[in-house]
Amino acid sequence: MAKVEKKKEENKNTYESLKALYYSGKVKPSLNKITAELENDNDNLELTLLACQVLERTKEFDRLSSFADAVIKLSPEISAGYYYKGVALQHVKGSEQEALKNFNKALQIDPENTVYLKSKATTHLLLFKDFDLPLKFAEQHRVKAESSLLKVVELVEQKENPNYIEFYTLAEVNMMMDQALNAKMYYLKAVNAYEVMEDESEQDKNIYKDIIKAQKKCIKQLEKFTE
């Protein structure tokens, strides 16, 4: 029993250290170390999920698909595996419908996850913009995308204290809806929420960089309107 507890503690410490490495912005080094650890411990759910998180950022979608399958096999009752599978499929032309099936499965388990809803909307918009799709089907995807985007707005705005990821997601959603002024406000809120976090271990510098980059892009777009 003591050996089992010791192993669990070692796994926890390994996960936390690798998560900290990734959150510090060292993406490739963290991925190399995570995959090396998983070679000797391929049933480690936390590390497999962390690998998915990193692979989504590095845009290695073939590998992401395999790791997502591993998550689903290890723990089919959680939503993240289906989400990551959806992300991987979303980037394969012709696999958008399969991506939607996975996003819908993830949302059945976690229906108020704003990141999942935004990703689902993005996939519907990809299909809406597909010129090979008959107009009536394309319009259905536009409506479904809009529904998911509005759901994100509703969920985040009704929260008392949204976190920086939720504000960032809301800002991105407003950009998708051509609401750049609102987006600018939520990018600012995302930055503020990040900077005042008490738990520094949850501050993902990779996402923070995304927020700053997107904020600058939003400001440039607004400047075009005022020229």
Side-chain angles (χ1 to χ4, degrees):
M1 187 68 178
K3 288 184 178 180
V4 173
E5 291 301 319
K6 183 179 179 181
K7 180 65 175 176
K8 286 183 178 179
E9 185 64 26
E10 288 175 352
N11 286 345
K12 186 67 176 175
N13 291 338
T14 299
Y15 167 75
E16 291 296 341
S17 65
L18 290 173
K19 176 186 170 185
L21 181 65
Y22 170 60
Y23 273 28
S24 73
K26 296 177 181 178
V27 178
K28 280 290 187 179
S30 65
L31 180 58
N32 292 337
K33 291 187 176 183
I34 292 165
T35 51
E37 284 290 332
L38 283 170
E39 287 179 5
N40 301 316
D41 188 12
N42 57 15
D43 289 337
N44 190 316
L45 178 61
E46 282 190 318
L47 276 182
T48 308
L49 284 167
L50 186 59
C52 287
Q53 189 175 352
V54 183
L55 288 166
E56 181 183 11
R57 173 157 295 277
T58 59
K59 303 185 187 305
E60 297 177 60
F61 298 116
D62 286 342
R63 293 182 70 191
L64 175 59
S65 182
S66 296
F67 277 87
D69 287 337
V71 172
I72 293 168
K73 183 177 179 181
L74 287 168
S75 190
E77 74 280 2
I78 69 171
S79 61
Y82 303 103
Y83 164 71
Y84 287 119
K85 187 68 176 180
V87 170
L89 291 168
Q90 182 188 68
H91 291 84
V92 178
K93 179 65 176 174
S95 296
E96 294 89 352
Q97 292 289 356
E98 283 299 312
L100 286 172
K101 288 180 182 178
N102 280 275
F103 288 137
N104 285 333
K105 179 67 175 177
L107 285 163
Q108 285 176 12
I109 300 168
D110 188 2
E112 295 190 350
N113 189 302
T114 56
V115 173
Y116 297 178
L117 285 163
K118 174 180 169 285
S119 293
K120 179 185 176 184
T122 300
T123 310
H124 280 301
L125 287 174
L126 286 172
L127 288 165
F128 169 64
K129 294 175 183 178
D130 186 346
F131 287 107
D132 294 326
L133 202 65
L135 185 59
K136 67 175 182 178
F137 294 122
E139 179 61 15
Q140 289 174 8
H141 286 293
R142 185 197 65 77
V143 171
K144 289 177 180 178
E146 183 179 21
S147 176
S148 293
L149 294 174
L150 291 174
K151 184 67 175 177
V152 173
V153 174
E154 176 190 345
L155 287 170
V156 179
E157 288 188 341
Q158 72 184 12
K159 288 198 173 188
E160 187 174 346
N161 293 302
N163 60 37
Y164 70 97
I165 295 175
E166 290 165 332
F167 276 133
Y168 174 47
T169 303
L170 183 52
E172 294 286 276
V173 162
N174 273 276
M175 287 297 289
M176 292 168 72
M177 297 190 299
D178 294 323
Q179 299 290 329
L181 278 173
N182 284 344
K184 180 186 175 183
M185 174 181 67
Y186 288 118
Y187 285 129
L188 285 170
K189 287 179 181 288
V191 170
N192 291 337
Y194 179 93
E195 292 177 346
V196 301
M197 282 187 71
E198 294 181 3
D199 187 355
E200 293 183 1
S201 68
E202 293 302 316
Q203 289 179 315
D204 185 343
K205 287 185 179 179
N206 303 295
I207 295 178
Y208 182 73
K209 290 175 183 177
D210 288 343
I211 295 168
I212 298 301
K213 183 179 179 180
Q215 186 180 37
K216 290 178 179 178
K217 184 178 179 181
C218 176
I219 291 171
K220 283 184 179 180
Q221 184 169 331
L222 286 170
E223 286 174 347
K224 289 180 180 179
F225 292 144
T226 56
E227 286 177 353

